[in-house]
Amino acid sequence: MTSPAASAPPARIEEVSAGIYAYVQPDGSWCLNNPAFIAGSSGVTCVDACATERRSRELLAAIGRTTARPVQTLVNTHHHLDHTFGNFVFGPEVTIVGHTRCREEILETADEIVDRASQMFPGVDWGAVEIVAPTLTLDQPLTIYVDALRLELIPLAPAHTTNDVAVWIPERRVLIAGDLLFNGGTPFAVFGSVAGWLESLETLRAFGAEVIVPGHGEVCDARVIDDVADYLRFVQTIAQAGFKAGASPLEVARDADLGRFAEWSDPERLAGNLHRAYSELRGEQWGAPIDAGAAFADVIASAGGGPLRCLA
């Protein structure tokens, strides 16, 4: 049987500003995220690992081909497996930084995440994954430096998750957004908040970024913020109509006219997003726990009932 990863285009390094690199993993669909790294004179700060052991080791090898300096710091933009499963390959000498809730989510839900990954993406070879969480945490903005270059770690949650962190490099006008921004892929709010995400986008917009490394998809500019905001407002609009009519999230998703969003990868995520939007329409707190199992069941049903397409 051919591995799903065999049909994925190879990852590539893109220098987005002097010494700042995006590690782009096409095609940006399920579990194909974009790490980034900043190379300094004495060491490297990396932003996010990859979903599998193989891909994370390839990321480290790519960093090694770019600079002889060691990775000293790894920033997790949130807890999802495609950004954290590869944490362990960086080794115990690397300081891992993330949101306080990122650490908590990884440690509290490790077994659940591994089981869900195996069920949703049965063709993926994850490797000998060891669950490793951030050891340095934040819930307020934190500044770290690579030489004299300032990296501002900005917590923005709940949005994509309850523990999102954006990395803003003001001197270069570069934003490493994690999954706060998808470029050409469908955003996913099951573990966060649709309304909170829209609010966080306004913070991102105010940065005035000239170059953005999105969590998934090609490197882009600030127009991607408008695209994600348009999609989230679309989710809210059809959720309000469906909620008022007494329709289930899956029924609303199946009847929805996606318009231009139909061209984006992973459109089945709409069903899960509607579960989150319904929670907010019921007056529940942004980011409050919902039945993720039911949401994912509807995502899978929207995709035809079989395993989700994943090229990791």
Side-chain angles (χ1 to χ4, degrees), residues 2-163:
T2 302
S3 167
S7 60
R12 69 178 190 278
I13 292 174
E14 184 173 338
E15 189 169 17
V16 300
S17 184
I20 303 174
Y21 302 87
Y23 185 75
V24 180
Q25 296 193 98
D27 60 0
S29 55
W30 287 105
C31 296
L32 292 179
N33 67 311
N34 295 333
F37 60 96
I38 301 92
S41 60
S42 60
V44 175
T45 291
C46 187
V47 182
D48 284 329
C50 302
T52 69
E53 178 182 6
R54 176 184 64 82
R55 284 184 173 274
S56 295
R57 294 196 185 282
E58 289 175 353
L59 166 62
L60 274 178
I63 294 172
R65 291 191 298 272
T66 306
T67 173
R69 304 306 182 189
V71 176
Q72 296 176 323
T73 306
L74 173 64
V75 178
N76 285 156
T77 60
H78 61 289
H79 74 284
H80 282 169
L81 66 88
D82 49 334
H83 300 254
T84 63
F85 258 19
N87 281 357
F88 75 101
V89 308
F90 287 79
E93 67 278 6
V94 173
T95 299
I96 304 178
V97 185
H99 196 288
T100 302
R101 281 300 301 163
C102 176
R103 173 179 170 82
E104 293 170 353
E105 288 284 351
I106 289 173
L107 295 179
E108 291 172 4
T109 64
D111 292 340
E112 175 186 345
I113 290 171
V114 172
D115 289 345
R116 181 175 292 145
S118 299
Q119 294 168 8
M120 292 181 62
F121 312 116
V124 175
D125 179 4
W126 304 103
V129 172
E130 301 172 23
I131 301 299
V132 175
T135 53
L136 175 62
T137 64
L138 66 141
D139 52 22
Q140 297 293 326
L142 174 70
T143 299
I144 61 176
Y145 287 86
V146 177
D147 295 339
L149 188 63
R150 188 168 82 251
L151 279 58
E152 298 180 0
L153 278 54
I154 312 294
L156 293 168
H160 171 61
T161 68
T162 59
N163 54 92

Side-chain angles (χ1 to χ4, degrees), residues 272-291:
N273 292 333
L274 287 165
H275 275 263
R276 174 56 65 185
Y278 271 37
S279 168
E280 293 171 8
L281 287 167
R282 290 193 294 268
E284 295 167 6
Q285 184 177 0
W286 293 358
I290 63 173
D291 187 342

Side-chain angles (χ1 to χ4, degrees), residues 153-230:
L153 278 54
I154 312 294
L156 293 168
H160 171 61
T161 68
T162 59
N163 54 92
D164 299 293
V165 172
V167 180
W168 170 232
I169 309 175
E171 180 181 332
R172 305 293 185 80
R173 317 307 295 175
V174 171
L175 173 64
I176 303 170
D179 284 4
L180 289 162
L181 294 173
F182 289 70
N183 183 19
T186 303
F188 197 47
V190 166
F191 296 100
S193 167
V194 178
W197 199 338
L198 279 164
E199 186 173 283
S200 293
L201 291 179
E202 294 310 305
T203 300
L204 297 185
R205 195 189 309 279
F207 290 153
E210 296 176 0
V211 179
I212 293 176
V213 181
H216 297 256
E218 297 296 318
V219 174
C220 54
D221 60 27
R223 287 174 292 185
V224 73
I225 299 173
D226 294 330
D227 290 336
V228 174
D230 287 348

